[in-house]
Amino acid sequence: MCGIVGYIGLRPAVPVLLEGLKKLEYRGYDSSGIAVLEEDGIRIAKSTGKLAVLEDKLGKRTFKSNIGIGHTRWATHGRPSDLNAHPHLDCHGDFAVVHNGIIENYLELREWLSSQGHLFRSETDTEVLAHLVEHYYEGDLEEAVRQTLAKVTGSYATVILSSKHPGILVAARKDSPMIVGIGENEYFIASDIPAVLKYTRNTYIMEDGEMVTVSDKGIKFCDFYGKTLEKIIFEVTWDPIAAEKGGYEHFMLKEIFEQPKALRDTLAGRLNDDKVVLQEVDLSPSEVAAFNKVAIVGCGTAYHAGLIGQGLIEHWAKIPVEVDIASEFRYRAPLIDDKSLVVVISQSGETADTLAALRESKKKGARVIAITNVVGSSVSREAHDVIYTWAGPEIAVASTKAYTTQIEGMILLALYLTQAKGTMSQEWINEIIAELRKIPDKAEEILEQAYAIEQLSQCFFGVDSAFFLGRGLDWAVAQEGSLKLKEISYIHAEAYAAGELKHGTLALITEKTPVVAIATQRDLYEKTLSNVIEVKARDAKVIGFTFEGNHDFGKSVDELFYLPDTANELAPILTVIPLQLLAYYVSVARGNDVDKPRNLAKSVTVE
């Protein structure tokens, strides 16, 4: 979710680059920088913090250049710092690179390039691109970029500026967005349309596997093998605010639809054919075997992700797990010590209660693993090990893609612990990994049926209360679905373990109470069906979510949404997506501010 801007034309480049980066601020960033080509070579300015800091640096310097590249960074490899900010240079300062995405094999490439004499200045994965271009350059910049891309695995949108080719920018994309804007005697490259709307509405939308070269002589598209491509101009008709949202009505909806990419990015480089690889976690099998308990700590949505983790770790790795709301953790004098593993979950990495729980755990001698979305955050700095979720920034207050990637992080950790302990067969691990690889595609299948969820949202028109039911992992998902509905629609909603209905909850069920029933745990199908029948006997309207083929359940509910089939343990990632959409459409119908619900903040940084 970083921002890229490139420019070549007749205007001074620096103001254009800064203006473009400002229009991409909504994507979130922790540092920024630009590179322009002056008469004496490439000149770079970059800094952590807001763009205003970069502008202050630039205000003291004079630039004449009409070609350059700019970047706002959301850290993935290497904490936020001036040194890690983009653009990055090769050894001799001849090539400058900006990049969005993740280079999965950067450690291997960095080691190889170092053996060839290249000197690295940053901790980032991006810097390997600059050194690879330098390594392969023999007079043809396009060819050097092609050879570079042939060496890397991962996702990228990248732009290269070179002092050896003063009038050229070369860009390429794979699994990260990139557009090219066309003005009069000028060209713009950007990661998103808002960056160019001040100057032009005529754009080319780049596809995966495409490269583009822009120069004062024109524009040329080709594939990664050099074959020339013909492209059709796309005229942007959205207003600038709609463009920031990618054409979606709200940021929350945009972020729901970004989940397949976020899920792919979070898995990137972490799955081999037969095992999970977590380079950020340094635990030996003997250390894992020594843990006699796991404590998982989080707030709100992160707590719900922890509930999923509890079920997976206990079932797979056979280690007892406790899950705590972070604000309660310290005050119950938790029994943890040097034989305990504590997992703290925080999207921002700055949640005050979660951070306090982390510090208390370390005082007691526990090993702490953080699952967070923000590199360089307090939680990531203070934990012993970190599993980053590559969800990118969330603008909407209600968490969506951060939650599903947190579940994915818990799945990866649970598999990592299981491998170390040898508690499940290799054949089983292979099957789960194969299914995990399919999850992003299955998330896309669900999103293609968003219209069906919009229809289901009509069940909630004019109601004051709703209930969510599930058993096992479905109960954990029900709690997140309930939270989503009440935080953005303001309908009172509660989640119950379905087996608890007869212990009081049935008294609240009437014909005016919609009930969401989730059934994805095959060993609990019959139990959940029995609970649904109890609810139906009280005249409630039941909206069911289950896997394709569960026909008995489908016959027992009023409305039904079938999910793509997957393993029981992976179902929570898929199940929550239609629940997010359901909450969204109900909120829109009620006229609420979806992205900024009343009384709520994105990160709770005070106790």
Side-chain angles (χ1 to χ4, degrees):
M1 291 299 294
C2 311
I4 283 176
V5 180
Y7 176 74
I8 180 170
L10 303 178
R11 308 171 194 258
V14 171
V16 176
L17 297 174
L18 289 174
E19 178 66 23
L21 294 178
K22 287 177 183 177
K23 294 302 183 184
L24 297 177
E25 283 188 290
Y26 70 93
R27 295 166 67 92
Y29 64 100
D30 49 51
S31 57
S32 58
I34 66 165
V36 294
L37 185 57
E38 296 285 300
E39 291 180 357
D40 57 349
I42 294 174
R43 292 291 169 261
I44 282 183
K46 51 187 184 176
S47 64
T48 52
K50 297 298 182 183
L51 273 169
V53 180
L54 178 63
E55 285 185 289
D56 285 345
K57 281 189 175 182
L58 292 170
K60 302 170 185 176
R61 301 167 62 177
T62 302
F63 297 95
K64 298 179 181 179
S65 176
N66 64 353
I67 180 173
I69 54 179
H71 190 267
T72 51
R73 178 179 188 245
W74 177 267
T76 56
H77 297 77
R79 67 184 56 187
S81 69
D82 289 4
L83 204 57
N84 288 331
H86 298 210
H88 289 287
L89 292 170
D90 66 300
C91 295
H92 299 95
D94 294 326
F95 305 96
V97 174
V98 291
H99 160 242
N100 292 349
I102 300 171
I103 305 301
E104 296 175 21
N105 60 335
Y106 87 101
L107 285 174
E108 171 191 331
L109 291 172
R110 184 177 179 127
E111 184 177 343
W112 173 68
L113 287 163
S114 295
S115 73
Q116 300 296 306
H118 291 264
L119 300 175
F120 285 80
R121 302 178 182 87
S122 77
E123 304 168 293
T124 69
D125 57 335
T126 299
E127 192 180 350
V128 300
L129 296 176
H131 291 284
L132 283 169
V133 173
E134 177 188 31
H135 183 83
Y136 288 115
Y137 180 75
E138 293 181 352
D140 186 333
L141 182 58
E142 291 181 32
E143 181 59 26
V145 173
R146 268 193 290 273
Q147 291 190 50
T148 291
L149 299 181
K151 290 287 287 187
V152 303
T153 58
S155 60
Y156 47 80
T158 186
V159 189
I160 297 92
L161 169 73
S162 174
S163 60
K164 294 180 178 294
H165 297 268
I168 290 178
L169 291 176
V170 177
R173 108 155 241 192
K174 177 180 178 290
D175 298 329
S176 247
M178 179 83 79
I179 63 103
V180 180
I182 311 147
E184 189 173 342
N185 298 316
E186 60 185 356
Y187 296 97
F188 308 83
I189 299 174
S191 50
D192 211 347
I193 286 172
V196 307
L197 284 185
K198 180 177 178 178
Y199 307 101
T200 182
R201 290 180 175 268
N202 293 321
T203 65
Y204 289 108
I205 309 298
M206 292 184 66
E207 304 294 339
D208 280 351
E210 291 184 353
M211 285 177 53
V212 65
T213 300
V214 295
S215 70
D216 48 13
K217 296 179 181 178
I219 184 169
K220 181 181 75 172
F221 288 94
C222 64
D223 63 19
F224 287 179
Y225 302 99
K227 180 183 176 182
T228 300
L229 302 172
E230 297 296 326
K231 300 280 290 181
I232 298 173
I233 291 177
F234 172 73
E235 183 179 355
V236 181
T237 57
W238 314 325
D239 63 71
I241 298 300
E244 289 184 6
K245 298 172 184 172
Y248 294 99
E249 187 175 354
H250 298 95
F251 281 113
M252 181 180 176
L253 188 61
K254 179 174 183 282
E255 288 159 6
I256 289 173
F257 274 80
E258 287 172 345
Q259 286 177 113
K261 181 182 186 303
L263 291 166
R264 287 190 188 96
D265 288 348
T266 299
L267 291 179
R270 289 168 166 167
L271 296 180
N272 286 344
D273 291 338
D274 61 350
K275 67 177 180 179
V276 168
V277 179
L278 294 179
Q279 295 175 339
E280 316 98 311
V281 179
D282 184 20
L283 287 171
S284 67
S286 61
E287 288 175 313
V288 172
F291 293 134
N292 58 23
K293 71 180 294 185
V294 175
I296 304 176
V297 181
C299 297
T301 288
Y303 169 74
H304 297 156
L307 293 174
I308 304 292
Q310 177 185 35
L312 300 180
I313 293 172
E314 288 191 338
H315 181 52
W316 294 349
K318 315 301 182 188
I319 308 173
V321 181
E322 296 175 353
V323 186
D324 274 280
I325 296 170
S327 57
E328 295 293 323
F329 180 74
R330 289 172 294 154
Y331 303 112
R332 69 173 185 85
L335 300 176
I336 57 174
D337 55 26
D338 59 358
K339 291 183 175 59
S340 304
L341 173 64
V342 175
V343 182
V344 297
I345 309 174
S346 170
Q347 187 281 138
S348 67
E350 302 295 344
T351 310
D353 289 313
T354 305
L355 190 55
L358 182 159
R359 291 166 178 163
E360 180 72 11
S361 300
K362 289 180 73 175
K363 284 181 184 177
K364 291 176 176 287
R367 180 68 171 254
V368 180
I369 295 178
I371 297 178
T372 185
N373 195 38
V374 182
V375 175
S377 60
S378 297
V379 160
S380 71
R381 292 195 309 271
E382 297 189 32
H384 296 107
D385 310 274
V386 185
I387 299 173
Y388 288 113
T389 58
W390 304 131
E394 277 189 330
I395 307 302
V397 167
S399 181
T400 53
K401 59 181 181 173
Y403 173 70
T404 48
T405 54
Q406 284 169 353
I407 296 176
E408 207 168 48
M410 287 300 328
I411 291 169
L412 291 168
L413 177 59
L415 283 170
Y416 179 90
L417 297 174
T418 301
Q419 290 168 179
K421 290 198 70 180
T423 47
M424 302 295 276
S425 71
Q426 187 60 54
E427 181 182 6
W428 177 89
I429 290 173
N430 293 349
E431 290 174 0
I432 286 292
I433 287 175
E435 280 299 311
L436 189 52
R437 291 183 189 277
K438 299 174 187 176
I439 288 294
D441 290 338
K442 292 182 178 182
E444 285 184 338
E445 288 181 39
I446 292 171
L447 293 169
E448 289 169 359
Q449 302 176 69
Y451 64 90
I453 302 299
E454 188 171 11
Q455 293 298 309
L456 291 180
S457 70
Q458 296 176 14
C459 299
F460 293 80
F461 292 178
V463 306
D464 297 318
S465 293
F467 293 98
F468 289 69
L469 305 178
R471 301 186 75 128
L473 294 180
D474 288 336
W475 179 38
V477 176
Q479 292 182 68
E480 176 62 14
S482 167
L483 175 62
K484 281 293 153 284
L485 184 66
K486 59 190 168 191
E487 73 179 329
I488 65 172
S489 77
Y490 314 145
I491 293 174
H492 171 258
E494 295 293 340
Y496 287 94
E500 286 293 290
L501 283 169
K502 57 178 64 71
H503 295 284
T505 313
L506 275 173
L508 299 173
I509 301 294
T510 71
E511 70 277 3
K512 296 181 180 179
T513 310
V515 175
V516 174
I518 306 168
T520 67
Q521 304 303 296
R522 292 169 179 82
D523 53 334
L524 293 170
Y525 271 176
E526 292 182 2
K527 300 284 188 184
T528 306
L529 178 58
S530 175
N531 301 138
V532 166
I533 291 171
E534 288 179 309
V535 170
K536 287 292 296 174
R538 273 75 180 176
D539 298 321
K541 184 161 190 173
V542 180
I543 302 96
F545 294 85
T546 191
F547 286 137
E548 297 166 344
N550 188 4
H551 300 302
D552 288 342
F553 184 81
K555 292 174 184 176
S556 303
V557 299
D558 297 287
E559 304 288 346
L560 182 66
F561 185 88
Y562 278 125
L563 299 157
D565 196 26
T566 190
N568 283 7
E569 299 92 335
L570 307 184
I573 297 178
L574 300 180
T575 311
V576 78
I577 295 174
L579 301 186
Q580 294 168 347
L581 286 167
L582 187 66
Y584 170 79
Y585 287 122
V586 173
S587 180
V588 169
R590 291 167 67 93
N592 296 340
D593 187 341
V594 176
D595 290 332
K596 297 179 180 179
R598 67 190 183 204
N599 303 329
L600 299 179
K602 185 63 182 173
S603 297
V604 181
T605 56
V606 295
E607 186 175 359

